[in-house]
């Protein structure tokens, strides 16, 4: 498929917490490095909590609504 290429990405997982509203939620943090950089957090049930990445030098954060 034209325009698609395989990316070299390393993922590291670690325990963390995410603040949703005023509540700290236990989470697993996944840090993607290499050709694509981002950080994603999931709760203990593997449900999405937060996603953070940069676009043109600006930090973008997508956070689960409380």
């Amino acid at each position: 498929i034209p325009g698609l290429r395989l990316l070299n990405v390393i993922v590291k997982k670690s325990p963390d917490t995410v603040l949703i509203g005023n509540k700290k939620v236990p989470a697993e943090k996944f840090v993607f490095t290499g050709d694509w950089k981002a950080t994603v957090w999931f709760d203990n049930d593997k449900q999405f909590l937060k996603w953070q990445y940069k676009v043109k030098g600006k930090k973008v954060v997508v956070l689960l609504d409380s």
Side-chain angles (χ1 to χ4, degrees), residues 12-65:
K12 292 189 180 179
K13 177 177 127 177
S14 63
D16 201 0
T17 58
V18 173
L19 190 61
I20 304 290
N22 60 358
K23 181 180 175 187
K24 285 186 177 182
V25 178
E28 290 183 327
K29 176 172 78 170
F30 296 85
V31 177
F32 295 76
T33 57
D35 293 337
W36 186 72
K37 295 174 178 60
T39 305
V40 183
W41 290 260
F42 293 94
D43 70 12
N44 293 333
D45 294 326
K46 308 294 187 231
Q47 298 297 310
F48 170 83
L49 294 174
K50 181 177 177 181
W51 178 28
Q52 181 175 301
Y53 62 104
K54 286 190 177 182
V55 175
K56 297 183 180 180
K58 304 284 186 180
K59 182 167 68 169
V60 177
V61 178
V62 178
L63 184 63
L64 180 69
D65 189 14

